[in-house]
Amino acid sequence: MYQEIILDHYRTPHGAGLREPFDAESFQINPTCGDEITLRVKLDGDKVSDVSYETLGCSISQASASVLTDLVVGRSVEESLRVLAAFQEMAQGRGQVEPDEDVLGDGVAFAGVARYPARVKCALLGWMAFKDAVVRTPQSSGGARTDTRDSEEAQS
Amino acid sequence: MTTLEGVNVQKLRADFPILARTVREGRPLVYLDSGATSQRPRQVLDAERAFLEQHNAAVHRGAHQLAEEATDAYESARARIAAFIGADAGEVVFTKNATEGINLVAYAMGNSSIRTGLGPESERFALGPGDEIVITELEHHANLVPWQELCRRTGATLRWYSITDEGRVDLDSIELTERTKLVAFAHQSNVLGTILPVAELVRRARAVGALVLLDACQSVPHMPVHLGELGVDFAGFSGHKMLGPSGIGVLYGRAELLAAMPPFLTGGSMIELVRMERTTYAPPPQRFEAGVPMTSQVVGLGAAVDYVGDIGMDAIHSHEMALVQQTLNGLASVPGVRVIGPRDLVDRGGAVAFVVDGVHAHDVGQVLDDRGIAVRVGHHCAWPLHRRFGVAATVRASFHVYSTPDEVTALVEGVQAAREFFGVVS
Ligand SMILES: Cc1ncc(COP(=O)(O)O)c(C=O)c1O
């Protein structure tokens, strides 16, 4: 499960830390273990121009957030949600889903996590925060920038 | 070494079929998660099967031979379980698990607080704004959330004793008052292993006229416990943590209190007389066992109590404490490992929680799992306690009578391996 790529991202995470400016923020928690992530998204038109985050979690959740920034920053929102869907499908695939490296890049390293059902949520924590933050951006919700500390119900 | 403190572990392990299996590509299972759930010996599994193959029927209903035999088996188990914890049979109520037992008391108190259609005897369970329920900061969610909910429903206030850096209850952190109606606390912390000062807490509760509920989930399975002598009013524990089946727990209540307490769940089997307008209730324990209850599970729990009783709870406790000492020594020899909770054996039981600097508990658990070692990682349903110690998650090793010194050695080596793997070795 601990591919070298995962350990590299864990030791030197890309894009870590919370940055200004941002359009929306999401706070997600994994209720079974207490791991947390706060993640911010900045959009430029329909493009994801920055993702910044702070995590309190295991190597898998930290490395996953790092890979996420690599994969979505610079992409359109639509494209990045497609990558998210592919990542989620792989992570929840119980090892039966063949990941597409062209879409997922370093994300394919997480294919092994799919064999450990207890760790799937760790791998998805950052992605769920990203999805939630995107929905909360004024560009997609039409509302103002929201602080999201009350959205603790986390992902399924 | 196979024999520890009078327990012949190797011989006894043969009673537990699951301990012989392998995991993760052929590695022998090292099961150090008995605090979450314990494994069952053949004697328990056989008792369940024999009951189902020979005597199965709905208990306390019907007059045919099987119904009689099933009821006898059920009530015989109740009597043996009661004797095991120093109670009378009428003080033992079967529930699904400890969580349900605690909720039963919380809901009975909530029902008492509504104060319509109940007799004056239920007044001692009633709560309202200004009244207090007191717990501690180390409680399992099962002994925390039901009280939060009861406070929300009744307007009462939840207060708690804080926990010291050593993992003990800080008895000076709050004072009970005349408004304290209930003091609820764990006998032993499922995380820290701390054994709480039951006698002193009971004394303080009595001094203000409060009821006492003991969460005995981590004590009854691991040490001799005489609830009558402890003087608590209520206690709850689960069968699956004491070599017995899941789906069965016990709520103990002092006879006089159960007799005065209104029911939680209502329906069949808990009634005395039913008319269309109104129902009167059976005496305890039936009053609190609505519906057809678990039967093979009760029989299995009876067999589990016989099994641990034959070994002796003193011997089981000494055996576990020897393993705790070995674990504490072993972990102390690994740099960067911090035990959360008491580091000596004083007032301590068999759960050891720790963190490894620079390696998240999940990652430690994963490295251990890959070596066939099963431990618990996370907050172990005691999230506020983890927050208190400033950690998101810990690794917890816990034991039962079948745990061995070799398994502790494997644990310590595994923790060392996790540090090496994540490159935090200095
Ligand atoms: C101290 C303590 N209290 C309560 C519980 C709840 O037990 P159960 O989940 O069997 O109801 C547990 C175990 O999970 C426990 O360790």
mmCIF file with all atom_site columns, all heavy atoms in Angstrom, chain A residues 100-124:
data_model
loop_
_atom_site.group_PDB
_atom_site.id
_atom_site.type_symbol
_atom_site.label_atom_id
_atom_site.label_alt_id
_atom_site.label_comp_id
_atom_site.label_asym_id
_atom_site.label_entity_id
_atom_site.label_seq_id
_atom_site.pdbx_PDB_ins_code
_atom_site.Cartn_x
_atom_site.Cartn_y
_atom_site.Cartn_z
_atom_site.occupancy
_atom_site.B_iso_or_equiv
_atom_site.pdbx_formal_charge
_atom_site.auth_seq_id
_atom_site.auth_comp_id
_atom_site.auth_asym_id
_atom_site.auth_atom_id
_atom_site.pdbx_PDB_model_num
ATOM 1   N N   . ASP A 1 100 ? -6.476  4.698  -14.636 1.00 0.00 ? 100 ASP A N   1
ATOM 2   C CA  . ASP A 1 100 ? -5.929  5.260  -15.872 1.00 0.00 ? 100 ASP A CA  1
ATOM 3   C C   . ASP A 1 100 ? -4.888  6.310  -15.506 1.00 0.00 ? 100 ASP A C   1
ATOM 4   O O   . ASP A 1 100 ? -5.220  7.380  -15.003 1.00 0.00 ? 100 ASP A O   1
ATOM 5   C CB  . ASP A 1 100 ? -7.088  5.882  -16.668 1.00 0.00 ? 100 ASP A CB  1
ATOM 6   C CG  . ASP A 1 100 ? -6.611  6.445  -17.997 1.00 0.00 ? 100 ASP A CG  1
ATOM 7   O OD1 . ASP A 1 100 ? -5.376  6.560  -18.192 1.00 0.00 ? 100 ASP A OD1 1
ATOM 8   O OD2 . ASP A 1 100 ? -7.483  6.749  -18.833 1.00 0.00 ? 100 ASP A OD2 1
ATOM 9   N N   . GLU A 1 101 ? -3.623  5.979  -15.768 1.00 0.00 ? 101 GLU A N   1
ATOM 10  C CA  . GLU A 1 101 ? -2.547  6.869  -15.349 1.00 0.00 ? 101 GLU A CA  1
ATOM 11  C C   . GLU A 1 101 ? -2.605  8.216  -16.073 1.00 0.00 ? 101 GLU A C   1
ATOM 12  O O   . GLU A 1 101 ? -2.202  9.240  -15.524 1.00 0.00 ? 101 GLU A O   1
ATOM 13  C CB  . GLU A 1 101 ? -1.176  6.201  -15.556 1.00 0.00 ? 101 GLU A CB  1
ATOM 14  C CG  . GLU A 1 101 ? -0.055  7.015  -14.937 1.00 0.00 ? 101 GLU A CG  1
ATOM 15  C CD  . GLU A 1 101 ? 1.206   6.213  -14.656 1.00 0.00 ? 101 GLU A CD  1
ATOM 16  O OE1 . GLU A 1 101 ? 1.242   5.024  -15.016 1.00 0.00 ? 101 GLU A OE1 1
ATOM 17  O OE2 . GLU A 1 101 ? 2.138   6.802  -14.082 1.00 0.00 ? 101 GLU A OE2 1
ATOM 18  N N   . ASP A 1 102 ? -3.155  8.225  -17.287 1.00 0.00 ? 102 ASP A N   1
ATOM 19  C CA  . ASP A 1 102 ? -3.265  9.491  -18.020 1.00 0.00 ? 102 ASP A CA  1
ATOM 20  C C   . ASP A 1 102 ? -4.181  10.468 -17.288 1.00 0.00 ? 102 ASP A C   1
ATOM 21  O O   . ASP A 1 102 ? -3.981  11.673 -17.329 1.00 0.00 ? 102 ASP A O   1
ATOM 22  C CB  . ASP A 1 102 ? -3.833  9.254  -19.430 1.00 0.00 ? 102 ASP A CB  1
ATOM 23  C CG  . ASP A 1 102 ? -2.824  8.505  -20.296 1.00 0.00 ? 102 ASP A CG  1
ATOM 24  O OD1 . ASP A 1 102 ? -1.628  8.524  -19.943 1.00 0.00 ? 102 ASP A OD1 1
ATOM 25  O OD2 . ASP A 1 102 ? -3.252  7.898  -21.294 1.00 0.00 ? 102 ASP A OD2 1
ATOM 26  N N   . VAL A 1 103 ? -5.198  9.933  -16.630 1.00 0.00 ? 103 VAL A N   1
ATOM 27  C CA  . VAL A 1 103 ? -6.132  10.793 -15.897 1.00 0.00 ? 103 VAL A CA  1
ATOM 28  C C   . VAL A 1 103 ? -5.614  11.057 -14.485 1.00 0.00 ? 103 VAL A C   1
ATOM 29  O O   . VAL A 1 103 ? -5.675  12.175 -13.982 1.00 0.00 ? 103 VAL A O   1
ATOM 30  C CB  . VAL A 1 103 ? -7.528  10.124 -15.807 1.00 0.00 ? 103 VAL A CB  1
ATOM 31  C CG1 . VAL A 1 103 ? -8.495  11.000 -15.027 1.00 0.00 ? 103 VAL A CG1 1
ATOM 32  C CG2 . VAL A 1 103 ? -8.063  9.835  -17.203 1.00 0.00 ? 103 VAL A CG2 1
ATOM 33  N N   . LEU A 1 104 ? -5.068  10.047 -13.853 1.00 0.00 ? 104 LEU A N   1
ATOM 34  C CA  . LEU A 1 104 ? -4.814  10.137 -12.410 1.00 0.00 ? 104 LEU A CA  1
ATOM 35  C C   . LEU A 1 104 ? -3.360  10.441 -12.033 1.00 0.00 ? 104 LEU A C   1
ATOM 36  O O   . LEU A 1 104 ? -3.086  10.736 -10.869 1.00 0.00 ? 104 LEU A O   1
ATOM 37  C CB  . LEU A 1 104 ? -5.259  8.841  -11.716 1.00 0.00 ? 104 LEU A CB  1
ATOM 38  C CG  . LEU A 1 104 ? -6.782  8.666  -11.640 1.00 0.00 ? 104 LEU A CG  1
ATOM 39  C CD1 . LEU A 1 104 ? -7.136  7.298  -11.073 1.00 0.00 ? 104 LEU A CD1 1
ATOM 40  C CD2 . LEU A 1 104 ? -7.413  9.763  -10.790 1.00 0.00 ? 104 LEU A CD2 1
ATOM 41  N N   . GLY A 1 105 ? -2.452  10.374 -12.970 1.00 0.00 ? 105 GLY A N   1
ATOM 42  C CA  . GLY A 1 105 ? -1.061  10.696 -12.650 1.00 0.00 ? 105 GLY A CA  1
ATOM 43  C C   . GLY A 1 105 ? -0.577  9.918  -11.438 1.00 0.00 ? 105 GLY A C   1
ATOM 44  O O   . GLY A 1 105 ? -0.787  8.703  -11.327 1.00 0.00 ? 105 GLY A O   1
ATOM 45  N N   . ASP A 1 106 ? 0.058   10.640 -10.486 1.00 0.00 ? 106 ASP A N   1
ATOM 46  C CA  . ASP A 1 106 ? 0.547   9.996  -9.260  1.00 0.00 ? 106 ASP A CA  1
ATOM 47  C C   . ASP A 1 106 ? -0.583  9.338  -8.468  1.00 0.00 ? 106 ASP A C   1
ATOM 48  O O   . ASP A 1 106 ? -0.346  8.492  -7.605  1.00 0.00 ? 106 ASP A O   1
ATOM 49  C CB  . ASP A 1 106 ? 1.241   11.022 -8.351  1.00 0.00 ? 106 ASP A CB  1
ATOM 50  C CG  . ASP A 1 106 ? 2.667   11.311 -8.816  1.00 0.00 ? 106 ASP A CG  1
ATOM 51  O OD1 . ASP A 1 106 ? 3.088   10.714 -9.833  1.00 0.00 ? 106 ASP A OD1 1
ATOM 52  O OD2 . ASP A 1 106 ? 3.346   12.123 -8.165  1.00 0.00 ? 106 ASP A OD2 1
ATOM 53  N N   . GLY A 1 107 ? -1.801  9.764  -8.765  1.00 0.00 ? 107 GLY A N   1
ATOM 54  C CA  . GLY A 1 107 ? -2.957  9.213  -8.048  1.00 0.00 ? 107 GLY A CA  1
ATOM 55  C C   . GLY A 1 107 ? -3.076  7.704  -8.181  1.00 0.00 ? 107 GLY A C   1
ATOM 56  O O   . GLY A 1 107 ? -3.660  7.042  -7.314  1.00 0.00 ? 107 GLY A O   1
ATOM 57  N N   . VAL A 1 108 ? -2.498  7.124  -9.237  1.00 0.00 ? 108 VAL A N   1
ATOM 58  C CA  . VAL A 1 108 ? -2.615  5.669  -9.408  1.00 0.00 ? 108 VAL A CA  1
ATOM 59  C C   . VAL A 1 108 ? -1.926  4.916  -8.266  1.00 0.00 ? 108 VAL A C   1
ATOM 60  O O   . VAL A 1 108 ? -2.240  3.763  -7.989  1.00 0.00 ? 108 VAL A O   1
ATOM 61  C CB  . VAL A 1 108 ? -2.039  5.165  -10.755 1.00 0.00 ? 108 VAL A CB  1
ATOM 62  C CG1 . VAL A 1 108 ? -2.826  5.739  -11.919 1.00 0.00 ? 108 VAL A CG1 1
ATOM 63  C CG2 . VAL A 1 108 ? -0.564  5.494  -10.862 1.00 0.00 ? 108 VAL A CG2 1
ATOM 64  N N   . ALA A 1 109 ? -1.016  5.606  -7.594  1.00 0.00 ? 109 ALA A N   1
ATOM 65  C CA  . ALA A 1 109 ? -0.323  4.954  -6.479  1.00 0.00 ? 109 ALA A CA  1
ATOM 66  C C   . ALA A 1 109 ? -1.291  4.551  -5.375  1.00 0.00 ? 109 ALA A C   1
ATOM 67  O O   . ALA A 1 109 ? -0.985  3.704  -4.537  1.00 0.00 ? 109 ALA A O   1
ATOM 68  C CB  . ALA A 1 109 ? 0.757   5.883  -5.921  1.00 0.00 ? 109 ALA A CB  1
ATOM 69  N N   . PHE A 1 110 ? -2.468  5.185  -5.379  1.00 0.00 ? 110 PHE A N   1
ATOM 70  C CA  . PHE A 1 110 ? -3.437  4.887  -4.316  1.00 0.00 ? 110 PHE A CA  1
ATOM 71  C C   . PHE A 1 110 ? -4.312  3.671  -4.636  1.00 0.00 ? 110 PHE A C   1
ATOM 72  O O   . PHE A 1 110 ? -5.201  3.336  -3.871  1.00 0.00 ? 110 PHE A O   1
ATOM 73  C CB  . PHE A 1 110 ? -4.319  6.111  -4.042  1.00 0.00 ? 110 PHE A CB  1
ATOM 74  C CG  . PHE A 1 110 ? -3.560  7.238  -3.390  1.00 0.00 ? 110 PHE A CG  1
ATOM 75  C CD1 . PHE A 1 110 ? -2.817  8.131  -4.156  1.00 0.00 ? 110 PHE A CD1 1
ATOM 76  C CD2 . PHE A 1 110 ? -3.566  7.373  -2.015  1.00 0.00 ? 110 PHE A CD2 1
ATOM 77  C CE1 . PHE A 1 110 ? -2.103  9.150  -3.554  1.00 0.00 ? 110 PHE A CE1 1
ATOM 78  C CE2 . PHE A 1 110 ? -2.852  8.398  -1.407  1.00 0.00 ? 110 PHE A CE2 1
ATOM 79  C CZ  . PHE A 1 110 ? -2.114  9.292  -2.172  1.00 0.00 ? 110 PHE A CZ  1
ATOM 80  N N   . ALA A 1 111 ? -4.040  3.036  -5.763  1.00 0.00 ? 111 ALA A N   1
ATOM 81  C CA  . ALA A 1 111 ? -4.842  1.863  -6.123  1.00 0.00 ? 111 ALA A CA  1
ATOM 82  C C   . ALA A 1 111 ? -4.763  0.807  -5.019  1.00 0.00 ? 111 ALA A C   1
ATOM 83  O O   . ALA A 1 111 ? -5.746  0.130  -4.712  1.00 0.00 ? 111 ALA A O   1
ATOM 84  C CB  . ALA A 1 111 ? -4.374  1.288  -7.452  1.00 0.00 ? 111 ALA A CB  1
ATOM 85  N N   . GLY A 1 112 ? -3.590  0.678  -4.402  1.00 0.00 ? 112 GLY A N   1
ATOM 86  C CA  . GLY A 1 112 ? -3.417  -0.327 -3.353  1.00 0.00 ? 112 GLY A CA  1
ATOM 87  C C   . GLY A 1 112 ? -4.273  -0.053 -2.123  1.00 0.00 ? 112 GLY A C   1
ATOM 88  O O   . GLY A 1 112 ? -4.663  -0.976 -1.400  1.00 0.00 ? 112 GLY A O   1
ATOM 89  N N   . VAL A 1 113 ? -4.577  1.229  -1.889  1.00 0.00 ? 113 VAL A N   1
ATOM 90  C CA  . VAL A 1 113 ? -5.390  1.582  -0.721  1.00 0.00 ? 113 VAL A CA  1
ATOM 91  C C   . VAL A 1 113 ? -6.780  0.967  -0.833  1.00 0.00 ? 113 VAL A C   1
ATOM 92  O O   . VAL A 1 113 ? -7.414  0.632  0.164   1.00 0.00 ? 113 VAL A O   1
ATOM 93  C CB  . VAL A 1 113 ? -5.494  3.126  -0.591  1.00 0.00 ? 113 VAL A CB  1
ATOM 94  C CG1 . VAL A 1 113 ? -6.393  3.521  0.565   1.00 0.00 ? 113 VAL A CG1 1
ATOM 95  C CG2 . VAL A 1 113 ? -4.103  3.733  -0.416  1.00 0.00 ? 113 VAL A CG2 1
ATOM 96  N N   . ALA A 1 114 ? -7.224  0.800  -2.076  1.00 0.00 ? 114 ALA A N   1
ATOM 97  C CA  . ALA A 1 114 ? -8.565  0.271  -2.296  1.00 0.00 ? 114 ALA A CA  1
ATOM 98  C C   . ALA A 1 114 ? -8.739  -1.118 -1.695  1.00 0.00 ? 114 ALA A C   1
ATOM 99  O O   . ALA A 1 114 ? -9.852  -1.560 -1.446  1.00 0.00 ? 114 ALA A O   1
ATOM 100 C CB  . ALA A 1 114 ? -8.868  0.228  -3.795  1.00 0.00 ? 114 ALA A CB  1
ATOM 101 N N   . ARG A 1 115 ? -7.624  -1.810 -1.471  1.00 0.00 ? 115 ARG A N   1
ATOM 102 C CA  . ARG A 1 115 ? -7.734  -3.151 -0.879  1.00 0.00 ? 115 ARG A CA  1
ATOM 103 C C   . ARG A 1 115 ? -7.906  -3.108 0.625   1.00 0.00 ? 115 ARG A C   1
ATOM 104 O O   . ARG A 1 115 ? -8.121  -4.126 1.257   1.00 0.00 ? 115 ARG A O   1
ATOM 105 C CB  . ARG A 1 115 ? -6.489  -3.971 -1.211  1.00 0.00 ? 115 ARG A CB  1
ATOM 106 C CG  . ARG A 1 115 ? -6.441  -4.292 -2.672  1.00 0.00 ? 115 ARG A CG  1
ATOM 107 C CD  . ARG A 1 115 ? -5.555  -5.483 -2.979  1.00 0.00 ? 115 ARG A CD  1
ATOM 108 N NE  . ARG A 1 115 ? -5.404  -5.541 -4.424  1.00 0.00 ? 115 ARG A NE  1
ATOM 109 C CZ  . ARG A 1 115 ? -4.514  -4.820 -5.088  1.00 0.00 ? 115 ARG A CZ  1
ATOM 110 N NH1 . ARG A 1 115 ? -3.671  -4.059 -4.447  1.00 0.00 ? 115 ARG A NH1 1
ATOM 111 N NH2 . ARG A 1 115 ? -4.463  -4.870 -6.396  1.00 0.00 ? 115 ARG A NH2 1
ATOM 112 N N   . TYR A 1 116 ? -7.766  -1.932 1.202   1.00 0.00 ? 116 TYR A N   1
ATOM 113 C CA  . TYR A 1 116 ? -7.917  -1.790 2.663   1.00 0.00 ? 116 TYR A CA  1
ATOM 114 C C   . TYR A 1 116 ? -9.117  -0.886 2.933   1.00 0.00 ? 116 TYR A C   1
ATOM 115 O O   . TYR A 1 116 ? -8.977  0.325  3.055   1.00 0.00 ? 116 TYR A O   1
ATOM 116 C CB  . TYR A 1 116 ? -6.658  -1.173 3.278   1.00 0.00 ? 116 TYR A CB  1
ATOM 117 C CG  . TYR A 1 116 ? -5.430  -2.039 3.159   1.00 0.00 ? 116 TYR A CG  1
ATOM 118 C CD1 . TYR A 1 116 ? -4.620  -1.991 2.033   1.00 0.00 ? 116 TYR A CD1 1
ATOM 119 C CD2 . TYR A 1 116 ? -5.077  -2.913 4.196   1.00 0.00 ? 116 TYR A CD2 1
ATOM 120 C CE1 . TYR A 1 116 ? -3.491  -2.791 1.918   1.00 0.00 ? 116 TYR A CE1 1
ATOM 121 C CE2 . TYR A 1 116 ? -3.954  -3.717 4.088   1.00 0.00 ? 116 TYR A CE2 1
ATOM 122 C CZ  . TYR A 1 116 ? -3.160  -3.652 2.949   1.00 0.00 ? 116 TYR A CZ  1
ATOM 123 O OH  . TYR A 1 116 ? -2.047  -4.440 2.849   1.00 0.00 ? 116 TYR A OH  1
ATOM 124 N N   . PRO A 1 117 ? -10.305 -1.465 3.022   1.00 0.00 ? 117 PRO A N   1
ATOM 125 C CA  . PRO A 1 117 ? -11.522 -0.645 3.102   1.00 0.00 ? 117 PRO A CA  1
ATOM 126 C C   . PRO A 1 117 ? -11.456 0.404  4.217   1.00 0.00 ? 117 PRO A C   1
ATOM 127 O O   . PRO A 1 117 ? -11.986 1.504  4.068   1.00 0.00 ? 117 PRO A O   1
ATOM 128 C CB  . PRO A 1 117 ? -12.624 -1.669 3.389   1.00 0.00 ? 117 PRO A CB  1
ATOM 129 C CG  . PRO A 1 117 ? -12.076 -2.981 2.942   1.00 0.00 ? 117 PRO A CG  1
ATOM 130 C CD  . PRO A 1 117 ? -10.590 -2.908 3.040   1.00 0.00 ? 117 PRO A CD  1
ATOM 131 N N   . ALA A 1 118 ? -10.766 0.079  5.304   1.00 0.00 ? 118 ALA A N   1
ATOM 132 C CA  . ALA A 1 118 ? -10.718 1.026  6.421   1.00 0.00 ? 118 ALA A CA  1
ATOM 133 C C   . ALA A 1 118 ? -9.933  2.275  6.060   1.00 0.00 ? 118 ALA A C   1
ATOM 134 O O   . ALA A 1 118 ? -10.071 3.306  6.707   1.00 0.00 ? 118 ALA A O   1
ATOM 135 C CB  . ALA A 1 118 ? -10.113 0.359  7.650   1.00 0.00 ? 118 ALA A CB  1
ATOM 136 N N   . ARG A 1 119 ? -9.087  2.181  5.017   1.00 0.00 ? 119 ARG A N   1
ATOM 137 C CA  . ARG A 1 119 ? -8.255  3.343  4.692   1.00 0.00 ? 119 ARG A CA  1
ATOM 138 C C   . ARG A 1 119 ? -8.795  4.168  3.529   1.00 0.00 ? 119 ARG A C   1
ATOM 139 O O   . ARG A 1 119 ? -8.232  5.206  3.199   1.00 0.00 ? 119 ARG A O   1
ATOM 140 C CB  . ARG A 1 119 ? -6.832  2.877  4.362   1.00 0.00 ? 119 ARG A CB  1
ATOM 141 C CG  . ARG A 1 119 ? -6.171  2.058  5.453   1.00 0.00 ? 119 ARG A CG  1
ATOM 142 C CD  . ARG A 1 119 ? -6.107  2.800  6.780   1.00 0.00 ? 119 ARG A CD  1
ATOM 143 N NE  . ARG A 1 119 ? -5.301  4.010  6.749   1.00 0.00 ? 119 ARG A NE  1
ATOM 144 C CZ  . ARG A 1 119 ? -3.965  4.026  6.839   1.00 0.00 ? 119 ARG A CZ  1
ATOM 145 N NH1 . ARG A 1 119 ? -3.312  2.908  6.969   1.00 0.00 ? 119 ARG A NH1 1
ATOM 146 N NH2 . ARG A 1 119 ? -3.310  5.164  6.818   1.00 0.00 ? 119 ARG A NH2 1
ATOM 147 N N   . VAL A 1 120 ? -9.865  3.697  2.888   1.00 0.00 ? 120 VAL A N   1
ATOM 148 C CA  . VAL A 1 120 ? -10.382 4.402  1.719   1.00 0.00 ? 120 VAL A CA  1
ATOM 149 C C   . VAL A 1 120 ? -10.792 5.830  2.080   1.00 0.00 ? 120 VAL A C   1
ATOM 150 O O   . VAL A 1 120 ? -10.522 6.783  1.351   1.00 0.00 ? 120 VAL A O   1
ATOM 151 C CB  . VAL A 1 120 ? -11.560 3.611  1.107   1.00 0.00 ? 120 VAL A CB  1
ATOM 152 C CG1 . VAL A 1 120 ? -12.275 4.425  0.051   1.00 0.00 ? 120 VAL A CG1 1
ATOM 153 C CG2 . VAL A 1 120 ? -11.037 2.304  0.504   1.00 0.00 ? 120 VAL A CG2 1
ATOM 154 N N   . LYS A 1 121 ? -11.404 5.966  3.247   1.00 0.00 ? 121 LYS A N   1
ATOM 155 C CA  . LYS A 1 121 ? -11.831 7.301  3.664   1.00 0.00 ? 121 LYS A CA  1
ATOM 156 C C   . LYS A 1 121 ? -10.652 8.238  3.847   1.00 0.00 ? 121 LYS A C   1
ATOM 157 O O   . LYS A 1 121 ? -10.760 9.434  3.621   1.00 0.00 ? 121 LYS A O   1
ATOM 158 C CB  . LYS A 1 121 ? -12.614 7.221  4.977   1.00 0.00 ? 121 LYS A CB  1
ATOM 159 C CG  . LYS A 1 121 ? -14.071 6.914  4.770   1.00 0.00 ? 121 LYS A CG  1
ATOM 160 C CD  . LYS A 1 121 ? -14.838 7.117  6.059   1.00 0.00 ? 121 LYS A CD  1
ATOM 161 C CE  . LYS A 1 121 ? -16.304 6.827  5.851   1.00 0.00 ? 121 LYS A CE  1
ATOM 162 N NZ  . LYS A 1 121 ? -17.023 6.850  7.112   1.00 0.00 ? 121 LYS A NZ  1
ATOM 163 N N   . CYS A 1 122 ? -9.521  7.692  4.300   1.00 0.00 ? 122 CYS A N   1
ATOM 164 C CA  . CYS A 1 122 ? -8.322  8.518  4.462   1.00 0.00 ? 122 CYS A CA  1
ATOM 165 C C   . CYS A 1 122 ? -7.928  9.085  3.108   1.00 0.00 ? 122 CYS A C   1
ATOM 166 O O   . CYS A 1 122 ? -7.611  10.267 2.969   1.00 0.00 ? 122 CYS A O   1
ATOM 167 C CB  . CYS A 1 122 ? -7.158  7.697  5.025   1.00 0.00 ? 122 CYS A CB  1
ATOM 168 S SG  . CYS A 1 122 ? -7.520  6.749  6.503   1.00 0.00 ? 122 CYS A SG  1
ATOM 169 N N   . ALA A 1 123 ? -7.940  8.224  2.089   1.00 0.00 ? 123 ALA A N   1
ATOM 170 C CA  . ALA A 1 123 ? -7.513  8.648  0.756   1.00 0.00 ? 123 ALA A CA  1
ATOM 171 C C   . ALA A 1 123 ? -8.488  9.656  0.162   1.00 0.00 ? 123 ALA A C   1
ATOM 172 O O   . ALA A 1 123 ? -8.109  10.480 -0.660  1.00 0.00 ? 123 ALA A O   1
ATOM 173 C CB  . ALA A 1 123 ? -7.376  7.428  -0.156  1.00 0.00 ? 123 ALA A CB  1
ATOM 174 N N   . LEU A 1 124 ? -9.744  9.594  0.577   1.00 0.00 ? 124 LEU A N   1
ATOM 175 C CA  . LEU A 1 124 ? -10.765 10.457 -0.035  1.00 0.00 ? 124 LEU A CA  1
ATOM 176 C C   . LEU A 1 124 ? -11.008 11.759 0.714   1.00 0.00 ? 124 LEU A C   1
ATOM 177 O O   . LEU A 1 124 ? -11.678 12.655 0.202   1.00 0.00 ? 124 LEU A O   1
ATOM 178 C CB  . LEU A 1 124 ? -12.089 9.689  -0.155  1.00 0.00 ? 124 LEU A CB  1
ATOM 179 C CG  . LEU A 1 124 ? -12.116 8.577  -1.213  1.00 0.00 ? 124 LEU A CG  1
ATOM 180 C CD1 . LEU A 1 124 ? -13.457 7.845  -1.175  1.00 0.00 ? 124 LEU A CD1 1
ATOM 181 C CD2 . LEU A 1 124 ? -11.864 9.144  -2.608  1.00 0.00 ? 124 LEU A CD2 1
#
